[in-house]
Amino acid sequence: MISWQTMLLRLGMAAVLGAIIGLERERKDWSAGMRTHMMVCVGSALTIIVSSFGFRDILGTPNVTLDPSRIAAQVISGIGFLGAGTIIFLRPGFIRGLTTASGLWTVAAIGLAVGSGMYFAAVITTVIAIFILLLLQPFEKRFSRYFKQKYVKITIVPDADPAMFVGQLMGQRQLPVDTFSFTKSEEGYIIEIKFDNFNLDKLMPVLLELQKEAGVKEVYWSR
């Protein structure tokens, strides 16, 4: 049976490691902050402790077998529901919260490692997670803009002429269009254009002019 000192050590360590990752999310004012990460980590640690040592009194009973890994597997899959709550779909092509959701999943795994007594693995994973969250973000922002596909969406009223706005956008420019879609909905006509390896700053004057047109309801573009 696990001693209360060891149990206290594992639960306390899980709280600390969860707080370290949660602080990084907290400073960016995400919905899942320090307390949420601490609770996930501590809860995961307690779950694996209970799974491993909480049923020792029935060991040796005929036809009874214990498999602690089964509860651990349920923690990893169950945390997906909590992670899904942090994901926000703002508009086409723009989703927030994926990193926070993956962080909660990682924190749950760290809690399982601590609760299982794998302290070194838990600490190393925490260090790697902090490195990914803090140090790789500037690198990602700097280089991803060269490969990120640019996106333009124009919503116009139902009685407008879509061809006029497409012609105004495209003009005589040789634009590297990757995909082009044109749909009609209750809102009106929706024109979606994705560009391959193109700097949309060159189209900014045209996009700003389109926003002023009477028949245009919305002009959105990715940066």
mmCIF file of all heavy atoms in Angstrom, residues 56-65:
data_model
loop_
_atom_site.group_PDB
_atom_site.id
_atom_site.type_symbol
_atom_site.label_atom_id
_atom_site.label_comp_id
_atom_site.label_asym_id
_atom_site.label_seq_id
_atom_site.Cartn_x
_atom_site.Cartn_y
_atom_site.Cartn_z
ATOM 1 N N ARG A 56 -6.702 -2.724 -3.518
ATOM 2 C CA ARG A 56 -5.851 -3.801 -3.010
ATOM 3 C C ARG A 56 -6.609 -4.761 -2.086
ATOM 4 O O ARG A 56 -6.226 -5.910 -1.927
ATOM 5 C CB ARG A 56 -4.662 -3.197 -2.257
ATOM 6 C CG ARG A 56 -3.635 -2.501 -3.160
ATOM 7 C CD ARG A 56 -2.993 -3.492 -4.116
ATOM 8 N NE ARG A 56 -1.994 -2.891 -4.977
ATOM 9 C CZ ARG A 56 -0.706 -2.806 -4.676
ATOM 10 N NH1 ARG A 56 -0.271 -3.289 -3.518
ATOM 11 N NH2 ARG A 56 0.137 -2.255 -5.512
ATOM 12 N N ASP A 57 -7.693 -4.260 -1.471
ATOM 13 C CA ASP A 57 -8.396 -5.105 -0.510
ATOM 14 C C ASP A 57 -9.144 -6.259 -1.173
ATOM 15 O O ASP A 57 -9.519 -7.221 -0.502
ATOM 16 C CB ASP A 57 -9.381 -4.264 0.315
ATOM 17 C CG ASP A 57 -10.356 -3.508 -0.572
ATOM 18 O OD1 ASP A 57 -9.984 -3.174 -1.712
ATOM 19 O OD2 ASP A 57 -11.482 -3.253 -0.120
ATOM 20 N N ILE A 58 -9.350 -6.179 -2.477
ATOM 21 C CA ILE A 58 -10.062 -7.275 -3.145
ATOM 22 C C ILE A 58 -9.120 -8.154 -3.957
ATOM 23 O O ILE A 58 -9.574 -9.065 -4.659
ATOM 24 C CB ILE A 58 -11.181 -6.739 -4.056
ATOM 25 C CG1 ILE A 58 -10.589 -5.865 -5.180
ATOM 26 C CG2 ILE A 58 -12.211 -5.965 -3.263
ATOM 27 C CD1 ILE A 58 -11.644 -5.452 -6.193
ATOM 28 N N LEU A 59 -7.811 -7.865 -3.883
ATOM 29 C CA LEU A 59 -6.860 -8.730 -4.570
ATOM 30 C C LEU A 59 -6.910 -10.135 -3.966
ATOM 31 O O LEU A 59 -7.008 -10.303 -2.753
ATOM 32 C CB LEU A 59 -5.444 -8.164 -4.451
ATOM 33 C CG LEU A 59 -5.091 -6.993 -5.367
ATOM 34 C CD1 LEU A 59 -3.685 -6.502 -5.078
ATOM 35 C CD2 LEU A 59 -5.218 -7.382 -6.833
ATOM 36 N N GLY A 60 -6.812 -11.115 -4.777
ATOM 37 C CA GLY A 60 -6.880 -12.490 -4.313
ATOM 38 C C GLY A 60 -8.279 -13.054 -4.324
ATOM 39 O O GLY A 60 -8.461 -14.271 -4.104
ATOM 40 N N THR A 61 -9.275 -12.176 -4.549
ATOM 41 C CA THR A 61 -10.642 -12.676 -4.644
ATOM 42 C C THR A 61 -10.806 -13.466 -5.937
ATOM 43 O O THR A 61 -10.328 -13.041 -6.995
ATOM 44 C CB THR A 61 -11.644 -11.505 -4.627
ATOM 45 O OG1 THR A 61 -11.427 -10.723 -3.454
ATOM 46 C CG2 THR A 61 -13.080 -12.011 -4.653
ATOM 47 N N PRO A 62 -11.436 -14.608 -5.885
ATOM 48 C CA PRO A 62 -11.598 -15.418 -7.101
ATOM 49 C C PRO A 62 -12.291 -14.640 -8.219
ATOM 50 O O PRO A 62 -13.236 -13.886 -7.977
ATOM 51 C CB PRO A 62 -12.458 -16.600 -6.625
ATOM 52 C CG PRO A 62 -12.192 -16.680 -5.157
ATOM 53 C CD PRO A 62 -11.987 -15.271 -4.693
ATOM 54 N N ASN A 63 -11.780 -14.825 -9.429
ATOM 55 C CA ASN A 63 -12.351 -14.231 -10.646
ATOM 56 C C ASN A 63 -12.260 -12.707 -10.674
ATOM 57 O O ASN A 63 -13.000 -12.058 -11.411
ATOM 58 C CB ASN A 63 -13.820 -14.651 -10.823
ATOM 59 C CG ASN A 63 -13.988 -16.153 -10.903
ATOM 60 O OD1 ASN A 63 -13.174 -16.852 -11.517
ATOM 61 N ND2 ASN A 63 -15.038 -16.664 -10.259
ATOM 62 N N VAL A 64 -11.382 -12.130 -9.881
ATOM 63 C CA VAL A 64 -11.192 -10.677 -9.864
ATOM 64 C C VAL A 64 -9.765 -10.361 -10.294
ATOM 65 O O VAL A 64 -8.805 -10.868 -9.695
ATOM 66 C CB VAL A 64 -11.459 -10.079 -8.468
ATOM 67 C CG1 VAL A 64 -11.101 -8.598 -8.452
ATOM 68 C CG2 VAL A 64 -12.917 -10.267 -8.090
ATOM 69 N N THR A 65 -9.640 -9.550 -11.325
ATOM 70 C CA THR A 65 -8.325 -9.092 -11.791
ATOM 71 C C THR A 65 -8.327 -7.570 -11.876
ATOM 72 O O THR A 65 -9.373 -6.951 -12.128
ATOM 73 C CB THR A 65 -7.995 -9.679 -13.176
ATOM 74 O OG1 THR A 65 -9.012 -9.300 -14.113
ATOM 75 C CG2 THR A 65 -7.890 -11.186 -13.109
#
